[in-house]
Structures are given as C-alpha cells and as structure tokens.
Amino acid sequence: MINVPKDFVNNMFSLEGKVAIVTGATGALGSAIAMGYGYSGAKVVISARSESKLAAILDELKAAGIEATAFAADPANEEDVKALVQFAVDTYGELNILGAFHGFNAPKNVLEQSVEEWKKIMDADCTSVYLLAKYAAEQMVKQGKGGKMVITSSARSKMGMAGYTGYCTAKGGVDLMVQSLACDLSTKYGINVNSINPTVFRSELTEWMFDPESAVYQNFMKRLPIGRLGEPADFVGLATFLASSASDFLTGGNFDCTGGYWAC
C-alpha cells in the first residue's frame, strides 16, 4: 500500500499557523523570505537593528495581507536575542521557525584587517547564529512540538577567497554549527536545522556586480552554469521548503543554492 496521504501532499509546503522569526529582515534576502513565509501562512516577527527600516518593511508586509510585527535587535547581542524570542512568544504564543538571514562582511587582506574587524565579522556572522539557535531552541523544547531553523550561510563557506579570510571562516563555522546543532536537537527534540548557501544575489551592496561589462560579472559567468547572478526571490522557495513539513526528513544540511557555482 502506498503511504502518501493526499492531505500531506496538498499542504506540505504550507506554514499556516506557524510563528516565524526572520532576522536580517531589512536586507534584500531577509525581506524577501519574510514575505514568502507570510504568503505561506506564517505569522512573521521581523527583526533587524534599524527601527525605521523595520517599520518600512512591516508596512509592506501588512499591505500584502501578512500578519506580522517587528522587533529591533542586534542578533550578536545575547540580551537582544533573548528579548526577541520572548517578544515572539508574548505576541503570538509560541515560536516554530527561526529564519536567520542577516550577515556582514568587510573584505580586506589579512595583513590589512584589524583583529577588531575580524571579531566583528565573527560576531555578526557566527556568534549571532549560535545565540539565535540557542534561545530559539530553548523555546521550541519548552513547547515540545519540534521546530525548524533555516540559517543563511554562503557559497564561500567551502571555498576560500582573497580578502575574505574573515567571512569565509565565519560561514565555514556556520556550516559546521548547523551540522552540530542538528546532532544536538533533531533526534531528541524534533528540531530540524539546515542552512542555505547562496551565491551573490542582488542587493544595495552588490548591485555594482550586475554590470555585464564588468570584469567581476564576466568572471562569475565563467563559473555559473545557471547563467546569471541571483535575485532575492530565487531563495524563497528553498527557505520555505526547509521551514515546512516537506523537509521533515532533512537536517544538518548545507543546501547548495549557488546557481551551480560549487559544480564548476
């Protein structure tokens, strides 16, 4: 007998009734995924450091008919993270999905980069993930219903690059952290932890890379079988899949969304 329930198939990508925290929500990636989660039925708590930018994103979400609220927080600050998780629970009653889509880089040769700048990259890209995962997991364990964590890593997590010693190291740490978190949380508590590993996507910081006449763009095209750089919407499907019931058997994965960059 084939055990594939129709109701499961029809609803496996739905986030209806779920509560999601989305960090980095004022950025191109975080805002797109917050919208995607909302369209999929989740109640979304968006977070970033800037209150004014959060207010603008929140207006867009609400205009789209999405149930959402905002909480300004620094994901690398332990007390901010505790307060963010508590705010989500106080507002919507529980927490089911953690979507960590924030990030920071300051490209510089190791001989030129200060130790302070290195630490800032580590805190923003690696320590922040540990804090969010720790306190989101504590809440999910209290609830006893499992949960999903979707963490942003990078194509650079498994490939070095000149000027990216800090960033590559931090994202490599994120990949291993995701795998270790899965070992800690999945069997005993039913919390799935995965990362998405994107290539360059369009944002205010990367818009200059999209010039077809630039050497940077042309070099990328030599190693991108997909034939173009990314758009924020390209990652909404994978991030939603990993937050939904469709991915219940997946944990500890670093998911390639590089447009084929890792293949070449």
Side-chain angles (χ1 to χ4, degrees), residues 185-214:
L185 299 173
S186 296
T187 300
K188 190 171 183 179
Y189 302 110
I191 300 170
N192 299 59
V193 189
N194 294 287
S195 71
I196 65 170
N197 294 60
T199 188
V200 173
F201 55 87
R202 193 184 303 272
S203 70
E204 289 183 9
L205 294 176
T206 64
E207 187 67 44
W208 65 275
M209 297 184 184
F210 284 71
D211 177 6
E213 303 301 319
S214 73

mmCIF file of all heavy atoms in Angstrom, residues 185-214:
data_model
loop_
_atom_site.group_PDB
_atom_site.id
_atom_site.type_symbol
_atom_site.label_atom_id
_atom_site.label_comp_id
_atom_site.label_asym_id
_atom_site.label_seq_id
_atom_site.Cartn_x
_atom_site.Cartn_y
_atom_site.Cartn_z
ATOM 1 N N LEU A 185 19.889 18.619 18.383
ATOM 2 C CA LEU A 185 18.483 18.992 18.521
ATOM 3 C C LEU A 185 17.478 18.115 17.778
ATOM 4 O O LEU A 185 16.293 18.104 18.132
ATOM 5 C CB LEU A 185 18.293 20.438 18.052
ATOM 6 C CG LEU A 185 19.080 21.511 18.815
ATOM 7 C CD1 LEU A 185 18.916 22.865 18.133
ATOM 8 C CD2 LEU A 185 18.651 21.583 20.262
ATOM 9 N N SER A 186 17.900 17.393 16.759
ATOM 10 C CA SER A 186 16.910 16.744 15.903
ATOM 11 C C SER A 186 16.344 15.458 16.492
ATOM 12 O O SER A 186 15.125 15.296 16.607
ATOM 13 C CB SER A 186 17.503 16.480 14.519
ATOM 14 O OG SER A 186 17.810 17.705 13.880
ATOM 15 N N THR A 187 17.196 14.521 16.880
ATOM 16 C CA THR A 187 16.704 13.231 17.374
ATOM 17 C C THR A 187 15.871 13.392 18.639
ATOM 18 O O THR A 187 14.756 12.874 18.747
ATOM 19 C CB THR A 187 17.880 12.279 17.659
ATOM 20 O OG1 THR A 187 18.609 12.062 16.465
ATOM 21 C CG2 THR A 187 17.370 10.957 18.200
ATOM 22 N N LYS A 188 16.389 14.135 19.592
ATOM 23 C CA LYS A 188 15.764 14.225 20.902
ATOM 24 C C LYS A 188 14.580 15.191 20.928
ATOM 25 O O LYS A 188 13.588 14.951 21.632
ATOM 26 C CB LYS A 188 16.798 14.646 21.943
ATOM 27 C CG LYS A 188 16.301 14.542 23.381
ATOM 28 C CD LYS A 188 17.437 14.764 24.359
ATOM 29 C CE LYS A 188 16.950 14.597 25.801
ATOM 30 N NZ LYS A 188 18.055 14.792 26.782
ATOM 31 N N TYR A 189 14.678 16.281 20.140
ATOM 32 C CA TYR A 189 13.685 17.349 20.278
ATOM 33 C C TYR A 189 12.880 17.636 19.012
ATOM 34 O O TYR A 189 11.987 18.476 19.028
ATOM 35 C CB TYR A 189 14.377 18.640 20.740
ATOM 36 C CG TYR A 189 15.118 18.484 22.042
ATOM 37 C CD1 TYR A 189 16.514 18.505 22.072
ATOM 38 C CD2 TYR A 189 14.430 18.293 23.240
ATOM 39 C CE1 TYR A 189 17.204 18.361 23.264
ATOM 40 C CE2 TYR A 189 15.114 18.141 24.443
ATOM 41 C CZ TYR A 189 16.501 18.187 24.451
ATOM 42 O OH TYR A 189 17.178 18.029 25.633
ATOM 43 N N GLY A 190 13.204 16.969 17.916
ATOM 44 C CA GLY A 190 12.445 17.168 16.692
ATOM 45 C C GLY A 190 12.638 18.527 16.052
ATOM 46 O O GLY A 190 11.747 19.027 15.350
ATOM 47 N N ILE A 191 13.807 19.132 16.265
ATOM 48 C CA ILE A 191 14.110 20.437 15.672
ATOM 49 C C ILE A 191 15.065 20.231 14.504
ATOM 50 O O ILE A 191 16.193 19.755 14.687
ATOM 51 C CB ILE A 191 14.738 21.389 16.703
ATOM 52 C CG1 ILE A 191 13.773 21.611 17.874
ATOM 53 C CG2 ILE A 191 15.105 22.716 16.051
ATOM 54 C CD1 ILE A 191 14.390 22.347 19.056
ATOM 55 N N ASN A 192 14.616 20.542 13.303
ATOM 56 C CA ASN A 192 15.441 20.409 12.106
ATOM 57 C C ASN A 192 16.254 21.690 11.899
ATOM 58 O O ASN A 192 15.711 22.789 11.973
ATOM 59 C CB ASN A 192 14.574 20.171 10.875
ATOM 60 C CG ASN A 192 13.765 18.901 10.967
ATOM 61 O OD1 ASN A 192 12.968 18.736 11.884
ATOM 62 N ND2 ASN A 192 13.943 18.009 10.011
ATOM 63 N N VAL A 193 17.537 21.534 11.610
ATOM 64 C CA VAL A 193 18.430 22.680 11.426
ATOM 65 C C VAL A 193 19.165 22.522 10.102
ATOM 66 O O VAL A 193 19.858 21.516 9.883
ATOM 67 C CB VAL A 193 19.463 22.793 12.567
ATOM 68 C CG1 VAL A 193 20.232 24.108 12.461
ATOM 69 C CG2 VAL A 193 18.800 22.664 13.935
ATOM 70 N N ASN A 194 18.996 23.475 9.210
ATOM 71 C CA ASN A 194 19.645 23.438 7.897
ATOM 72 C C ASN A 194 20.111 24.826 7.500
ATOM 73 O O ASN A 194 19.595 25.839 8.003
ATOM 74 C CB ASN A 194 18.670 22.912 6.839
ATOM 75 C CG ASN A 194 18.297 21.458 7.051
ATOM 76 O OD1 ASN A 194 19.098 20.559 6.821
ATOM 77 N ND2 ASN A 194 17.063 21.220 7.499
ATOM 78 N N SER A 195 21.045 24.875 6.588
ATOM 79 C CA SER A 195 21.479 26.167 6.047
ATOM 80 C C SER A 195 21.192 26.247 4.556
ATOM 81 O O SER A 195 21.146 25.228 3.860
ATOM 82 C CB SER A 195 22.978 26.396 6.289
ATOM 83 O OG SER A 195 23.766 25.545 5.463
ATOM 84 N N ILE A 196 20.996 27.474 4.081
ATOM 85 C CA ILE A 196 21.014 27.739 2.648
ATOM 86 C C ILE A 196 22.330 28.439 2.340
ATOM 87 O O ILE A 196 22.792 29.268 3.114
ATOM 88 C CB ILE A 196 19.801 28.574 2.185
ATOM 89 C CG1 ILE A 196 19.834 29.991 2.792
ATOM 90 C CG2 ILE A 196 18.504 27.864 2.537
ATOM 91 C CD1 ILE A 196 18.795 30.931 2.189
ATOM 92 N N ASN A 197 22.944 28.070 1.236
ATOM 93 C CA ASN A 197 24.266 28.585 0.879
ATOM 94 C C ASN A 197 24.198 29.276 -0.484
ATOM 95 O O ASN A 197 24.482 28.660 -1.516
ATOM 96 C CB ASN A 197 25.281 27.438 0.857
ATOM 97 C CG ASN A 197 25.504 26.825 2.231
ATOM 98 O OD1 ASN A 197 24.581 26.322 2.860
ATOM 99 N ND2 ASN A 197 26.734 26.877 2.695
ATOM 100 N N PRO A 198 23.812 30.545 -0.487
ATOM 101 C CA PRO A 198 23.598 31.235 -1.767
ATOM 102 C C PRO A 198 24.875 31.793 -2.387
ATOM 103 O O PRO A 198 25.867 32.051 -1.705
ATOM 104 C CB PRO A 198 22.650 32.380 -1.385
ATOM 105 C CG PRO A 198 22.983 32.665 0.043
ATOM 106 C CD PRO A 198 23.387 31.348 0.658
ATOM 107 N N THR A 199 24.786 31.999 -3.698
ATOM 108 C CA THR A 199 25.797 32.772 -4.397
ATOM 109 C C THR A 199 25.435 34.246 -4.264
ATOM 110 O O THR A 199 24.536 34.612 -3.512
ATOM 111 C CB THR A 199 25.861 32.350 -5.881
ATOM 112 O OG1 THR A 199 26.981 32.992 -6.490
ATOM 113 C CG2 THR A 199 24.592 32.736 -6.631
ATOM 114 N N VAL A 200 26.137 35.094 -4.988
ATOM 115 C CA VAL A 200 25.836 36.529 -4.976
ATOM 116 C C VAL A 200 24.402 36.763 -5.446
ATOM 117 O O VAL A 200 23.962 36.202 -6.452
ATOM 118 C CB VAL A 200 26.812 37.294 -5.899
ATOM 119 C CG1 VAL A 200 26.396 38.757 -6.026
ATOM 120 C CG2 VAL A 200 28.236 37.198 -5.357
ATOM 121 N N PHE A 201 23.669 37.584 -4.705
ATOM 122 C CA PHE A 201 22.316 37.963 -5.120
ATOM 123 C C PHE A 201 22.196 39.488 -5.066
ATOM 124 O O PHE A 201 22.942 40.173 -4.371
ATOM 125 C CB PHE A 201 21.251 37.295 -4.251
ATOM 126 C CG PHE A 201 21.413 37.545 -2.776
ATOM 127 C CD1 PHE A 201 20.861 38.664 -2.174
ATOM 128 C CD2 PHE A 201 22.121 36.649 -1.990
ATOM 129 C CE1 PHE A 201 21.018 38.897 -0.821
ATOM 130 C CE2 PHE A 201 22.278 36.873 -0.626
ATOM 131 C CZ PHE A 201 21.724 37.999 -0.045
ATOM 132 N N ARG A 202 21.222 40.005 -5.773
ATOM 133 C CA ARG A 202 21.076 41.451 -5.921
ATOM 134 C C ARG A 202 20.667 42.114 -4.596
ATOM 135 O O ARG A 202 19.714 41.688 -3.937
ATOM 136 C CB ARG A 202 20.035 41.776 -6.989
ATOM 137 C CG ARG A 202 20.047 43.239 -7.429
ATOM 138 C CD ARG A 202 18.923 43.522 -8.417
ATOM 139 N NE ARG A 202 18.969 42.672 -9.590
ATOM 140 C CZ ARG A 202 19.669 42.957 -10.692
ATOM 141 N NH1 ARG A 202 20.397 44.054 -10.752
ATOM 142 N NH2 ARG A 202 19.644 42.127 -11.728
ATOM 143 N N SER A 203 21.391 43.153 -4.231
ATOM 144 C CA SER A 203 21.072 43.972 -3.064
ATOM 145 C C SER A 203 21.718 45.334 -3.274
ATOM 146 O O SER A 203 22.419 45.559 -4.266
ATOM 147 C CB SER A 203 21.612 43.332 -1.782
ATOM 148 O OG SER A 203 23.034 43.387 -1.750
ATOM 149 N N GLU A 204 21.507 46.233 -2.341
ATOM 150 C CA GLU A 204 22.143 47.547 -2.449
ATOM 151 C C GLU A 204 23.663 47.411 -2.477
ATOM 152 O O GLU A 204 24.353 48.171 -3.176
ATOM 153 C CB GLU A 204 21.721 48.437 -1.278
ATOM 154 C CG GLU A 204 20.280 48.905 -1.333
ATOM 155 C CD GLU A 204 19.932 49.837 -0.195
ATOM 156 O OE1 GLU A 204 20.862 50.253 0.542
ATOM 157 O OE2 GLU A 204 18.750 50.164 -0.024
ATOM 158 N N LEU A 205 24.192 46.457 -1.729
ATOM 159 C CA LEU A 205 25.644 46.291 -1.637
ATOM 160 C C LEU A 205 26.248 45.614 -2.861
ATOM 161 O O LEU A 205 27.430 45.791 -3.147
ATOM 162 C CB LEU A 205 25.996 45.487 -0.382
ATOM 163 C CG LEU A 205 25.681 46.150 0.968
ATOM 164 C CD1 LEU A 205 26.002 45.197 2.103
ATOM 165 C CD2 LEU A 205 26.453 47.448 1.123
ATOM 166 N N THR A 206 25.452 44.817 -3.581
ATOM 167 C CA THR A 206 26.007 44.031 -4.691
ATOM 168 C C THR A 206 25.558 44.507 -6.066
ATOM 169 O O THR A 206 25.955 43.917 -7.066
ATOM 170 C CB THR A 206 25.614 42.547 -4.549
ATOM 171 O OG1 THR A 206 24.182 42.436 -4.653
ATOM 172 C CG2 THR A 206 26.079 41.982 -3.221
ATOM 173 N N GLU A 207 24.733 45.539 -6.117
ATOM 174 C CA GLU A 207 24.190 45.984 -7.400
ATOM 175 C C GLU A 207 25.288 46.233 -8.428
ATOM 176 O O GLU A 207 25.126 45.942 -9.623
ATOM 177 C CB GLU A 207 23.365 47.265 -7.195
ATOM 178 C CG GLU A 207 22.617 47.743 -8.428
ATOM 179 C CD GLU A 207 21.501 46.797 -8.845
ATOM 180 O OE1 GLU A 207 20.749 46.338 -7.966
ATOM 181 O OE2 GLU A 207 21.395 46.520 -10.057
ATOM 182 N N TRP A 208 26.432 46.720 -7.979
ATOM 183 C CA TRP A 208 27.537 47.022 -8.898
ATOM 184 C C TRP A 208 28.071 45.771 -9.598
ATOM 185 O O TRP A 208 28.641 45.853 -10.692
ATOM 186 C CB TRP A 208 28.678 47.704 -8.138
ATOM 187 C CG TRP A 208 29.334 46.837 -7.101
ATOM 188 C CD1 TRP A 208 28.940 46.649 -5.818
ATOM 189 C CD2 TRP A 208 30.500 46.028 -7.275
ATOM 190 N NE1 TRP A 208 29.774 45.763 -5.163
ATOM 191 C CE2 TRP A 208 30.741 45.379 -6.035
ATOM 192 C CE3 TRP A 208 31.365 45.786 -8.337
ATOM 193 C CZ2 TRP A 208 31.821 44.509 -5.849
ATOM 194 C CZ3 TRP A 208 32.438 44.919 -8.150
ATOM 195 C CH2 TRP A 208 32.654 44.293 -6.918
ATOM 196 N N MET A 209 27.882 44.606 -9.003
ATOM 197 C CA MET A 209 28.366 43.362 -9.598
ATOM 198 C C MET A 209 27.527 42.904 -10.788
ATOM 199 O O MET A 209 27.923 42.001 -11.515
ATOM 200 C CB MET A 209 28.383 42.236 -8.551
ATOM 201 C CG MET A 209 29.309 42.458 -7.400
ATOM 202 S SD MET A 209 29.316 41.012 -6.296
ATOM 203 C CE MET A 209 30.384 41.590 -4.983
ATOM 204 N N PHE A 210 26.358 43.507 -10.976
ATOM 205 C CA PHE A 210 25.426 43.061 -12.008
ATOM 206 C C PHE A 210 25.649 43.747 -13.354
ATOM 207 O O PHE A 210 24.884 43.530 -14.291
ATOM 208 C CB PHE A 210 23.978 43.265 -11.534
ATOM 209 C CG PHE A 210 23.529 42.241 -10.530
ATOM 210 C CD1 PHE A 210 24.029 42.241 -9.236
ATOM 211 C CD2 PHE A 210 22.621 41.252 -10.882
ATOM 212 C CE1 PHE A 210 23.623 41.290 -8.313
ATOM 213 C CE2 PHE A 210 22.212 40.296 -9.973
ATOM 214 C CZ PHE A 210 22.720 40.315 -8.690
ATOM 215 N N ASP A 211 26.678 44.547 -13.466
ATOM 216 C CA ASP A 211 27.011 45.203 -14.730
ATOM 217 C C ASP A 211 27.647 44.185 -15.674
ATOM 218 O O ASP A 211 28.759 43.704 -15.422
ATOM 219 C CB ASP A 211 27.977 46.358 -14.470
ATOM 220 C CG ASP A 211 28.419 47.033 -15.758
ATOM 221 O OD1 ASP A 211 27.907 46.689 -16.850
ATOM 222 O OD2 ASP A 211 29.293 47.923 -15.676
ATOM 223 N N PRO A 212 26.980 43.817 -16.777
ATOM 224 C CA PRO A 212 27.513 42.786 -17.693
ATOM 225 C C PRO A 212 28.867 43.143 -18.290
ATOM 226 O O PRO A 212 29.588 42.253 -18.767
ATOM 227 C CB PRO A 212 26.445 42.692 -18.785
ATOM 228 C CG PRO A 212 25.205 43.219 -18.153
ATOM 229 C CD PRO A 212 25.658 44.282 -17.210
ATOM 230 N N GLU A 213 29.222 44.422 -18.262
ATOM 231 C CA GLU A 213 30.501 44.843 -18.831
ATOM 232 C C GLU A 213 31.652 44.745 -17.836
ATOM 233 O O GLU A 213 32.811 44.888 -18.217
ATOM 234 C CB GLU A 213 30.385 46.298 -19.325
ATOM 235 C CG GLU A 213 29.287 46.522 -20.347
ATOM 236 C CD GLU A 213 29.475 45.656 -21.585
ATOM 237 O OE1 GLU A 213 30.622 45.519 -22.052
ATOM 238 O OE2 GLU A 213 28.471 45.096 -22.062
ATOM 239 N N SER A 214 31.330 44.501 -16.552
ATOM 240 C CA SER A 214 32.386 44.495 -15.543
ATOM 241 C C SER A 214 33.138 43.165 -15.534
ATOM 242 O O SER A 214 32.582 42.108 -15.857
ATOM 243 C CB SER A 214 31.797 44.753 -14.155
ATOM 244 O OG SER A 214 31.082 43.624 -13.695
#
